Amino acid sequence: MFSLKPIHPESVARALDKAERYRLLNEPHFAESICLDVLAIDANNQQALVIYLLALTDQFGENREGGVTRAMQVVGKLHGEYERLYYTGIVHERRGKARLAQGGLGSGAAAFEQLHDAMHWYEKAQAIHPPGNDDAILRYNTCVRLIQERRLEPPVHERHEYPLE
């Protein structure tokens, strides 16, 4: 019925500026759409991939189908090892924050696990960080503070003794 119209290659920089602005205005759906338009004409545009990834993670609390899977597929398209490690941490951190925001039984323990996973990825990223880039440390410390402030604890897995017969 309707078909998407391609954007012009010379408009990519302006489009990405708009996508970033929409993210900052808490309109990740618009940012996602713009990034998809850019990626339709330049599938390896690293800036578009990062903004797209962040727009997807901005929507984790909205119960959209496949958001985490799509976000991890984008991570796989990033060129640098540091970027892949760092943004894997971002995906886990934002999953944890979304779970915490949802609340309910077990949300604290689930959030703890995701934040702990994020910290693991941030440590791996920090081990190979570019000079002058401590972003992974900043994110790691944010996770630590969130765990401490919310007094999050790991899930308690009860051990069951089963009879041999």
Side-chain angles (χ1 to χ4, degrees), residues 55-74:
L56 289 172
T57 63
D58 288 340
Q59 299 172 68
F60 278 172
E62 297 178 14
N63 294 324
R64 289 188 63 199
E65 287 291 320
V68 173
T69 301
R70 289 189 298 152
M72 290 308 296
Q73 288 171 343
V74 173

Side-chain angles (χ1 to χ4, degrees), residues 87-138:
Y87 285 106
T88 298
I90 291 285
V91 171
H92 285 281
E93 179 183 349
R94 290 183 173 202
R95 283 182 72 192
K97 287 179 179 178
R99 184 63 180 101
L100 198 56
Q102 286 175 335
L105 185 63
S107 62
F112 176 92
E113 283 187 314
Q114 289 297 323
L115 293 169
H116 185 261
D117 288 346
M119 293 163 60
H120 166 77
W121 290 104
Y122 293 143
E123 284 180 322
K124 290 179 84 158
Q126 184 59 31
I128 61 168
H129 74 284
N133 181 341
D134 282 338
D135 290 353
I137 291 175
L138 298 172

Side-chain angles (χ1 to χ4, degrees), residues 7-19:
I7 64 172
H8 296 96
E10 61 272 7
S11 70
V12 166
R14 182 178 166 124
L16 291 175
D17 286 344
K18 286 184 179 290

Side-chain angles (χ1 to χ4, degrees), residues 7-22 31 34-35 37-39 41-42 45-48 51:
I7 64 172
H8 296 96
E10 61 272 7
S11 70
V12 166
R14 182 178 166 124
L16 291 175
D17 286 344
K18 286 184 179 290
E20 188 62 38
R21 197 166 317 123
Y22 278 121
I34 291 169
C35 289
D37 288 333
V38 170
L39 293 168
I41 64 166
D42 183 3
N45 185 304
Q46 296 296 289
Q47 184 182 5
I51 296 170

